[in-house]
């Protein structure tokens, strides 16, 4: 039997500063009522000028390592799912490696937007099963506030900053990542992107004037694809694990919009206690959303040893994915 990747520690970090819907009313033409009713969000954490993604990622990683009771030198690989690394290169994961003194690890970033943590988990599952790695730190971390257009009410009310981390370790126990399913629909890259600032349209005066270095999104279309994509991913991951909706103890969906989550819960006929929601406090934290929620769900006693956890996400690309995890701690 091949080795499973078991989650042995989780942790989260969020910046101190909180931006409420009322605060947003002073920045753009919006209202607390609109944001709550259309998204379910009330507040989000926003990084200050000095804080970069790897700072939050490091804080989350240290908590996950502490809970896992491992030494940083045991870590073979650090994967950081992010679209807001500190700089184009080196990777945020390399900064994390240095900060936590994981001196034996390989480190790289993975660009799958909000699905980054699930894509990282999927890779880790394979690395551990093959014996190429024994202990892996998977992080989802983003500071979308730094690439948000604070004059665009269509996007600026949705996002928050944060990081979540999980330590995965090889085990022969009946626990860990049972299956993953990842998928991308790249015919829809135009629905959600930062058009400039890369090699296609490098930074220039025009870019700054036209504000094309910020997130652009077709919200409605992303919404529809998110529902379809996550439903497809959940079904495929459960099928791979040989499990059904009834077997699931808890679903942690990407925290992008309460109405997207409700639609998934309705289809799976899940009672509220089987769906984890914290987007009211964090907004959409991109790749950090799932590991932050996982950390909070465990702390709240909503994940117990033997539980079947399903996580699912979608993001720019469009990327989509799901994982089925037998909780082992
Ligand atoms: C963005 C989103 C909340 C918009 O909700 P919606 O119900 O689809 O709203 P619409 O886009 O139809 O816009 C309705 C109206 O509200 C307006 N509006 C948009 N943002 C607003 C805001 N912050 N405050 C007030 N009004 C706003 C629009 O301009 C539009 O006005 P109009 O009818 O006069 O043109 C929703 O589409 C969504 O969550 N999409 C998914 C986005 C996402 O998850 N992105 C991240 C992917 S990881």
């Amino acid at each position: 039997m091949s080795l499973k990747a078991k989650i042995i520690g989780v942790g989260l970090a969020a910046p101190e500063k909180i931006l409420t819907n009322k605060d947003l009313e002073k920045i753009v033409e919006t209202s607390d009522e609109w944001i709550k009713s259309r998204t379910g969000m009330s507040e989000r954490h926003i990084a200050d000028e000095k804080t970069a993604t790897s700072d939050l990622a490091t804080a989350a990683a240290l908590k996950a390592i502490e809970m896992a009771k491992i030494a940083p030198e045991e870590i073979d690989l650090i994967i950081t799912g992010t679209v807001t690394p500190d700089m184009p290169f080196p990777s945020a994961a390399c900064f994390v490696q240095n900060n936590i003194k994981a001196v034996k690890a390989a480190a790289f970033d993975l660009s799958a937007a909000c699905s980054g943590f699930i894509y990282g988990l999927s890779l880790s599952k394979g690395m551990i099963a093959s014996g190429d790695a024994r202990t892996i730190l998977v992080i989802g971390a983003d500071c979308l506030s730094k690439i948000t257009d604070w004059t665009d009410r269509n996007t600026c009310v949705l996002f928050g900053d944060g990081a979540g981390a999980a330590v995965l370790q090889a085990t022969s126990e009946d626990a860990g990542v049972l299956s993953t399913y990842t998928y991308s629909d790249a015919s829809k890259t135009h629905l959600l992107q930062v058009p400039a600032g890369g090699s296609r349209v490098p930074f220039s005066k025009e870019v700054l004037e036209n504000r094309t270095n910020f997130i652009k999104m077709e919200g409605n279309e992303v919404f529809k694809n998110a529902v379809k994509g996550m439903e497809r991913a959940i079904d495929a991951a459960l099928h791979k694990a040989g499990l059904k909706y009834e077997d699931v103890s808890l679903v942690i969906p990407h925290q992008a919009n309460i109405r997207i989550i409700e639609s998934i819960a309705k289809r799976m006929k899940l009672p509220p206690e089987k769906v984890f929601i914290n987007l009211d406090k964090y907004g959409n934290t991109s790749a950090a959303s799932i590991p932050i929620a996982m950390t909070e769900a465990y702390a709240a006693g909503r994940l117990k040893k033997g539980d079947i956890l399903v996580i699912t996400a979608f993001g720019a690309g469009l990327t989509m994915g799901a994982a089925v995890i037998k909780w082992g701690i």
Side-chain angles (χ1 to χ4, degrees), residues 30 34 38 114 153-154 217 219-220 254 256-257 259 284 314:
T30 190
W34 192 97
R38 302 291 180 109
C114 303
R153 68 174 184 176
N154 291 297
M217 182 181 73
N220 258 319
H254 176 43
N257 187 312
R259 293 180 291 137
N284 176 350
F314 71 96

